């Protein structure tokens, strides 16, 4: 009579583990086949089937007692399950933390430390687990793999404090006390997996490299936004040299082009933009940045050509995406700069036809409309800027009354809008540029000064004075507004007020001026350039040599 092995015996565990390990390897191969498939429906189905297979396998493994012999496979299956699920969802979600939590609790069960639950949060579980990991060398490769996925989740959810603590614990070297995330990621050395280890969709070292690239790119963008250009350049170079899929490399090269343009290195910037165009089929961001670069170089023809190309590989959005209105605005500004006012008006009319319907008809409906329509928090800024550019186009065509009408419409919309749009949640980089308080303030100032200049041209200095006074109140640090106000006060023979203003201006010029242009959309920078007083230095000299000063 054949000998039967009891189900709960160690021999039964070994037999089941061998079968389950083969099942894990089969499912990993299936998921990799899905990744390589050129048929979207088949790719989705194969990946979904593999995910369900890993889910069932994980349930089976959790049915066994938590032992050191079971956990290497169980933790590997958890890692494969999380990786595949994140791939299908195109990102990490908070509920994946539950799978990580259960894995850590199973490790602690092997040491009889069931009390170390979530009293101190998920980081408390990690701290307890990593403290006992030195007693469990068999689990180290899988634990480091799971730690990499935890790091990705915390990076995605912006829990950088917990992420720093985790990396400091994983890096048992002199960098342990460091808070430099890039240094910690570089120092982290996940243990190599054994040659006979269960298959993984991505090993810990590959995951570490992805994290290094992702964090370097994230940090580079933040430094670019805040104006720390040398630091941004270093971080973006780090990202470009790492493990970078082609789609991300296009974004990194484009950001490098932006950074170098702002640092005054247009030729190097152009090299990166060309590289971005060669790397991918998504030409929008590098072409948009190229148009900005050509404008900075004064090459209006190349700028317009870049924008025309961008409007042609960009599909017509419905409703318009957040970056498309800004593209129209930059195209209109470029056309005005090139002396093509009529063409600029055509571009503006096209943009208004795509966005004006998103605006509420009456001010009291504004808040309701903002809640109903996704684009409306930003739409008022785009439409206002369109009217500002239309006003400038009419100025170029010599139609002052039409220009004043457009500036007034711009101001009406701006004063109706509120600077609270940032409360609507995270936005793309284009939206952040359009909806920041500073951009709103500068847009209002540009419209007021532009309308004031047209009143001056019509000989109505009193009306001009009102606009210039309001522009100074709206943006006290804007010296262009102050100089226009100073000239108007002199023309109206209000000498005492002019002298007082001149003294304030002198005091301002002695202080270091904050460079805030980096935070403004390019079309708005262009508009501000048009209203800059051309005879500012002459006016300064007159005040210095006359009795007014």
């Amino acid at each position: 009579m054949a000998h039967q092995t009891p189900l709960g015996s160690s021999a039964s565990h070994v037999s089941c583990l061998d079968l389950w390990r083969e099942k894990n390897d089969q499912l990993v191969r299936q998921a990799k086949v899905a990744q390589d498939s050129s048929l979207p429906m088949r790719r989705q189905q194969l990946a979904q089937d593999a995910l369900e297979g890993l889910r069932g396998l994980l349930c089976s493994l959790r049915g066994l007692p938590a032992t050191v012999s079971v956990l290497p496979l169980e933790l590997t299956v958890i890692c494969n399950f999380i990786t595949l699920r994140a791939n299908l969802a195109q990102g990490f979600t908070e509920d994946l933390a539950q799978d990580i939590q259960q894995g850590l609790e199973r490790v602690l069960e092997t040491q009889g430390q069931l009390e170390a639950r979530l009293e101190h949060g998920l980081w408390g579980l990690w701290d307890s687990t990593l403290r006992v990991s030195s007693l469990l060398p068999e689990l180290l490769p899988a634990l480091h793999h799971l730690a990499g996925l935890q790091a990705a989740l915390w990076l995605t959810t912006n829990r950088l404090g917990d992420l720093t603590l985790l990396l400091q614990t994983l890096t048992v070297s002199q960098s342990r006390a460091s808070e430099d995330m890039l240094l910690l990621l570089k120092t982290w050395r996940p243990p190599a997996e054994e040659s006979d280890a269960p298959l993984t969709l991505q090993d810990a070292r590959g995951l570490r490299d992805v994290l290094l690239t992702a964090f370097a790119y994230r940090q580079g963008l933040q430094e670019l936004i805040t104006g720390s250009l040398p630091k941004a350049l270093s971080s973006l170079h780090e990202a470009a040299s790492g493990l970078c899929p082609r789609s991300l490399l296009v974004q990194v090269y484009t950001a490098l082009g932006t950074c170098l343009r702002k640092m005054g290195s247009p030729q190097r910037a152009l090299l990166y933009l060309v590289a971005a165009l060669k790397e991918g089929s998504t030409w929008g961001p590098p072409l948009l940045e190229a148009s900005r670069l050509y404008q900075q170089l004064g090459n209006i023809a190349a700028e317009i050509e870049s924008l025309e190309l961008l409007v042609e590989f960009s599909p017509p959005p419905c409703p318009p995406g957040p970056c498309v209105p800004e593209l129209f605005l930059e195209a209109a500004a470029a056309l005005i700069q090139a002396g093509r006012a009529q063409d600029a008006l055509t571009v503006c009319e096209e943009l208004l036809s795509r966005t004006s319907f998103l605006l509420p008809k009456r001010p009291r409906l504004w808040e309701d409309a903002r809640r109903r329509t996704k684009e409306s928090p930003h739409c008022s800024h785009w439409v206002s800027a369109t009217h500002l550019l239309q006003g400038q186009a009419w100025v170029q065509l010599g139609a002052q009354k039409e220009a004043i009408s457009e500036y007034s419409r711009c101001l009406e919309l701006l004063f109706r809008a509120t600077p609270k749009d940032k409360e609507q949640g995270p936005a793309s980089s284009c939206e952040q540029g359009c909806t920041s308080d500073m951009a709103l303030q500068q847009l209002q100032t540009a419209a007021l000064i532009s309308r004031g200049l047209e009143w001056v041209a019509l000989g109505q200095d009193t009306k001009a004075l009102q606009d210039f006074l309001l522009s100074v109140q709206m943006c006290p640090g804007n010296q262009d507004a102050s100089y226009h106000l100073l000239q108007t006060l002199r023309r109206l023979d209000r000498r005492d007020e002019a002298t007082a203003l001149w003294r304030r201006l002198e005091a301002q010029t002695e202080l270091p001026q904050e460079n805030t242009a980096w935070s403004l959309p390019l079309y708005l920078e262009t508009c501000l350039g048009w209203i800059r007083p051309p005879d500012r230095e002459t006016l300064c000299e007159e005040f210095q040599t006359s009795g007014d000063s």
Side-chain angles (χ1 to χ4, degrees), residues 427-465:
S428 72
S429 58
C430 288
E431 291 173 302
Q432 289 169 356
C434 287
T435 61
S436 70
D437 291 349
M438 181 179 297
L440 173 62
Q441 189 181 59
Q442 295 290 341
L443 192 56
Q444 290 170 331
T445 302
L448 284 166
I449 294 177
S450 297
R451 189 172 69 177
L453 289 173
E454 292 314 299
W455 289 129
V456 170
L458 292 171
Q460 301 191 39
D461 282 336
T462 303
K463 289 185 176 180
L465 182 68

Side-chain angles (χ1 to χ4, degrees), residues 28-72:
V28 169
R29 293 189 189 98
Q30 179 178 329
K32 289 184 175 179
V33 168
Q35 291 174 354
D36 296 336
S37 175
S38 59
L39 302 174
M41 292 296 294
R42 174 173 169 77
R43 181 168 61 244
Q44 181 75 14
Q45 188 60 54
L46 284 173
Q48 193 63 47
D49 290 347
L51 182 68
E52 293 306 316
L54 288 169
R55 192 194 307 273
L57 180 54
L58 190 54
C59 288
S60 300
L61 285 162
R62 286 173 175 164
L64 296 177
T67 63
V68 175
S69 61
V70 171
L71 282 175

Side-chain angles (χ1 to χ4, degrees), residues 97-98 100-108 113-132 150 154:
Q98 297 175 4
I100 296 175
Q101 174 190 332
Q102 291 178 12
L104 297 178
E105 290 176 342
R106 292 274 284 174
V107 173
L108 292 172
Q113 297 192 15
L114 296 180
E115 73 281 358
R117 297 285 178 171
L118 281 175
E119 290 84 357
H120 300 93
L122 194 51
W123 161 243
L125 272 181
W126 271 110
D127 187 44
S128 301
T129 302
L130 293 174
R131 286 179 187 277
V132 304
Q150 179 68 80
W154 277 342

Side-chain angles (χ1 to χ4, degrees), residues 117-183:
R117 297 285 178 171
L118 281 175
E119 290 84 357
H120 300 93
L122 194 51
W123 161 243
L125 272 181
W126 271 110
D127 187 44
S128 301
T129 302
L130 293 174
R131 286 179 187 277
V132 304
S133 64
S134 59
L135 305 175
L136 306 169
E138 306 96 323
L139 300 186
L140 278 178
L143 272 177
H144 275 254
H145 191 174
L146 192 63
L149 291 169
Q150 179 68 80
L153 177 58
W154 277 342
L155 181 60
T156 301
T157 54
N158 206 35
R159 292 179 58 180
L160 300 186
D162 287 336
L163 176 53
T164 300
L165 290 173
L166 178 61
L167 291 173
Q168 286 173 340
T169 307
L170 291 171
T171 54
V172 287
S173 68
Q174 59 186 4
S175 68
R176 183 183 177 93
S178 172
E179 294 187 358
D180 184 335
M181 198 80 72
L182 284 178
L183 177 61

Side-chain angles (χ1 to χ4, degrees), residues 309-386:
L309 283 172
L310 182 53
V311 172
E312 289 173 8
F313 286 106
S314 301
C318 184
C323 282
V324 171
E326 190 164 329
L327 167 62
F328 274 80
L329 292 170
E330 294 196 6
L335 288 166
I336 293 170
Q337 194 89 332
R340 295 167 57 181
Q342 197 62 57
D343 291 335
L345 287 173
T346 301
V347 171
C348 290
E349 288 167 5
E350 176 65 21
L351 178 55
L352 288 175
S353 71
R354 296 188 181 204
T355 55
S356 292
F357 72 94
L358 295 173
L359 289 175
K361 299 304 179 186
R362 282 179 276 182
R364 68 173 180 267
L365 301 178
W366 182 243
E367 292 299 324
D368 290 340
R370 288 176 62 192
R371 286 191 288 270
R372 286 198 309 269
T373 309
K374 181 180 178 183
E375 280 74 20
S376 57
H378 317 291
C379 184
S380 66
H381 300 258
W382 296 329
V383 175
S384 301
T386 306

Side-chain angles (χ1 to χ4, degrees), residues 58 62 78 81-82 85 95-103:
L58 190 54
R62 286 173 175 164
I78 291 175
F81 176 75
I82 291 175
R85 192 171 165 200
D95 59 336
L96 294 176
Q98 297 175 4
D99 297 300
I100 296 175
Q101 174 190 332
Q102 291 178 12

